[in-house]
Amino acid sequence: MKNFVVKTIANAGALAVAIWLIGNITLEGGSTGRKALTLILVALIFGLVNSVVKPVVQLLTFPLFILTLGLITLVVNALMLLLTSWLADVVDLSFHVEGFWTAVLGGLIISVVSWALNVVLPDEN
C-alpha cells in the first residue's frame, strides 16, 4: 500500500512539473486545494493507465521498439498522457493536454521527473 502511495505522489509531482513547464498542459480549478485534489486524481488515472494499458501497447509495439532503438517509447508515453487527458475529461476533471507534440514533450518531462522522484522517495511495500 505504501508503494502505491509513493508512486501516486511521484506521478502527481511529475505531472505538476509538466503543467508548470508546458503551457499547453493545463490543470484548472478554483482554489489551490481543489487543484491539488484534481492533480492527485489525475495522477491516479495516469497510474492506472500506465499499469493497465501501457504494457499491452508496449507488447504490440515491440517490433517498432527494436526497429527505432527505443524511440517509440516517447510516442507510447505521449499516447498514455493523451489517454489520461481524455479519461480526465470523461470523469469531469479539469486536466487537458493540447496536441500530440505537447504530449511527447510532457511525456518526456514526466518520465524524467517521475524517475528522479522514485529514486529519492522510499520504495517499501
Side-chain angles (χ1 to χ4, degrees), residues 90-121:
V90 167
V91 296
D92 202 29
L93 294 173
S94 57
F95 174 76
H96 185 70
V97 178
E98 179 93 21
F100 176 75
W101 292 110
T102 301
V104 170
L105 184 58
L108 182 62
I109 291 170
I110 290 169
S111 295
V112 170
V113 173
S114 182
W115 170 81
L117 288 176
N118 280 318
V119 166
V120 173
L121 293 173

Side-chain angles (χ1 to χ4, degrees), residues 27 29-39:
L27 178 73
S31 65
T32 303
R34 177 89 173 142
K35 285 183 180 180
L37 178 62
T38 302
L39 186 62

